C-alpha cells in the first residue's frame, strides 16, 4: 500500500498541474480601416510590411496591405479550386495553408510569386512559427510542429483550457514566446504555453469599439504582432476595422 501511495505522489510531482487561465480583455489603442471584402485567414508582419491571406473559393489570395489605409498594395490570387487559410513567414519565405486541399504554398515575399508547394494530410487552419519550426492548427485541439523544409510533422500537442481539450483553434501568432490563437466562432483569443500546451490567458475582444455583430462568417480572426514595435493587431473576416490592442485583466 505504501508503494502505491509513493507512486501516486511521484506521478503528481512529475505531471504538470493545470492552472486556471487568467481572464483578460482587449482594449483598442488605435483603429485602422480594413478591407470589408477580405475574408481574413492569416495576418502577419514581414520586414515591417503587413501581409494577409484571405479565403473563399474563387477569391483566395496572399497580399500586402497598407496598415494606415487598409488598401491592398500587392496581391497574388490562388486558383479558384483552393481556399486559402493561415499564413506566416520563416527563413525569408511565406507559407500559406489551404483548407481542404492539403497543399501549402511557398511564396517569395517581395514578388509574391509561388516558389514551391508541399502536400499534407488533413485540414489547414492557422499557421505561425517559433523561429525554427512551423506550427499549424487544423480546427481541432491539436497544434502540429512542422519542418519548414519538408512540411513534415515533427510533433504535436493537445491544447487544454482549465484541464479540458480546447478545439476550434484557428489563426495563430507567436508573440513573446507564446502562441496566440483565435477560437473559431468566439470573441476570444487564447494565449498558449508552447511547452505545456495549456491556455494561460483568455482574451475577450468583444469590448472593442464597433465590434461587429457576429454572423455565421464574419468572426474574429487575424492576429499580427509587429516585431519592430511590439504592437499587436487584430481583425476579423469581412471586418471594416483593424485594431491595435493592449491587454489587461478583466
Amino acid at each position: 500500500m505504501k508503494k502505491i501511495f509513493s507512486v501516486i505522489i511521484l506521478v503528481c510531482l512529475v505531471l504538470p498541474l493545470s492552472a486556471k487561465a487568467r481572464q483578460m480583455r482587449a482594449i483598442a489603442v488605435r483603429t485602422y480601416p480594413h478591407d470589408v471584402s477580405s475574408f481574413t485567414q492569416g495576418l502577419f508582419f514581414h520586414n515591417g510590411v503587413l501581409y494577409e491571406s484571405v479565403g473563399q473559393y474563387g477569391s483566395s489570395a496572399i497580399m500586402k496591405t497598407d496598415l494606415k489605409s487598409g488598401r491592398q498594395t500587392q496581391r497574388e490570387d490562388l486558383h479558384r479550386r483552393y481556399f486559402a487559410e493561415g499564413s506566416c513567414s520563416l527563413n525569408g519565405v511565406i507559407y500559406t495553408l489551404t483548407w481542404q486541399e492539403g497543399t501549402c504554398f511557398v511564396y517569395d515575399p517581395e514578388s509574391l510569386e509561388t516558389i514551391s508547394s508541399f502536400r499534407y494530410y488533413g485540414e489547414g487552419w492557422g499557421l505561425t512559427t517559433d523561429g525554427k519550426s512551423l506550427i499549424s492548427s487544423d480546427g481541432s485541439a491539436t497544434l502540429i510542429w512542422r519542418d519548414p523544409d519538408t512540411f513534415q510533422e515533427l510533433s504535436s500537442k493537445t491544447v487544454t483550457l482549465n484541464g479540458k481539450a480546447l478545439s476550434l483553434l484557428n489563426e495563430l501568432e507567436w508573440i513573446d514566446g507564446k502562441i496566440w490563437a483565435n477560437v473559431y466562432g468566439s470573441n476570444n483569443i487564447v494565449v498558449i504555453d508552447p511547452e505545456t500546451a495549456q491556455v494561460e490567458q483568455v482574451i475577450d475582444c468583444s469590448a472593442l469599439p464597433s465590434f461587429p455583430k457576429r454572423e455565421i462568417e464574419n468572426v474574429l480572426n487575424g492576429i499580427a504582432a509587429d516585431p519592430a514595435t511590439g504592437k499587436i493587431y487584430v481583425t476579423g473576416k469581412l471586418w471594416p476595422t483593424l485594431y491595435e490592442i493592449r491587454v489587461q485583466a478583466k
Side-chain angles (χ1 to χ4, degrees):
M1 185 63 72
K2 289 182 179 179
K3 184 179 291 187
I4 294 175
F5 284 145
S6 298
V7 171
I8 293 174
I9 291 171
L10 179 61
V11 170
C12 290
L13 290 172
V14 172
L15 292 178
L17 297 176
S18 178
K20 190 171 183 180
R22 295 178 62 196
Q23 298 299 308
M24 314 294 285
R25 62 176 174 172
I27 305 297
V29 175
R30 193 170 286 106
T31 61
Y32 299 92
H34 182 249
D35 188 341
V36 293
S37 69
S38 293
F39 196 77
T40 306
Q41 303 288 65
L43 195 68
F44 64 95
F45 282 89
H46 174 78
N47 290 342
V49 177
L50 181 63
Y51 289 77
E52 187 170 1
S53 53
V54 296
Q56 300 285 40
Y57 291 110
S59 56
S60 287
I62 179 72
M63 60 195 189
K64 299 178 185 178
T65 300
D66 178 69
L67 175 63
K68 292 184 178 180
S69 68
R71 294 176 182 172
Q72 302 173 19
T73 60
Q74 192 174 351
R75 177 185 176 108
E76 180 68 22
D77 292 304
L78 279 71
H79 189 278
R80 61 187 179 185
R81 70 174 177 270
Y82 294 107
F83 191 119
E85 285 280 351
S87 54
C88 72
S89 65
L90 178 63
N91 299 333
V93 297
I94 291 172
Y95 298 83
T96 299
L97 298 177
T98 54
W99 179 29
Q100 295 181 319
E101 293 71 53
T103 303
C104 175
F105 290 102
V106 183
Y107 297 95
D108 178 274
E110 299 303 320
S111 65
L112 295 184
E113 293 180 356
T114 304
I115 298 173
S116 62
S117 63
F118 297 109
R119 296 287 297 167
Y120 60 90
Y121 176 78
E123 294 188 357
W125 285 45
L127 190 67
T128 190
T129 175
D130 58 8
K132 296 180 180 179
S133 304
L134 297 168
I135 305 169
S136 67
S137 62
D138 60 7
S140 69
T142 302
L143 292 178
I144 302 171
W145 276 252
R146 296 180 179 276
D147 186 326
D149 295 325
T150 64
F151 211 68
Q152 293 298 306
E153 180 175 337
L154 300 173
S155 63
S156 64
K157 295 180 182 180
T158 299
V159 174
T160 59
L161 171 60
N162 299 332
K164 296 182 179 180
L166 178 65
S167 61
L168 297 177
L169 299 175
N170 202 4
E171 219 273 292
L172 307 175
E173 181 80 352
W174 183 273
I175 303 177
D176 295 331
K178 306 294 182 181
I179 301 169
W180 289 40
N182 286 116
V183 181
Y184 181 72
S186 81
N187 299 330
N188 295 331
I189 292 171
V190 292
V191 179
I192 305 161
D193 183 326
E195 296 299 322
T196 64
Q198 292 180 10
V199 173
E200 295 183 335
Q201 298 180 29
V202 177
I203 305 170
D204 181 0
C205 295
S206 61
L208 295 175
S210 304
F211 191 89
K213 181 180 178 182
R214 193 177 72 197
E215 303 293 345
I216 293 175
E217 293 187 331
N218 69 331
V219 296
L220 178 71
N221 202 52
I223 310 166
D226 186 349
T229 64
K231 295 178 180 179
I232 299 172
Y233 303 85
V234 301
T235 190
K237 303 172 187 287
L238 311 176
W239 282 20
T241 308
L242 180 143
Y243 301 90
E244 177 192 337
I245 64 166
R246 61 182 172 84
V247 176
Q248 67 179 39
K250 275 190 172 182

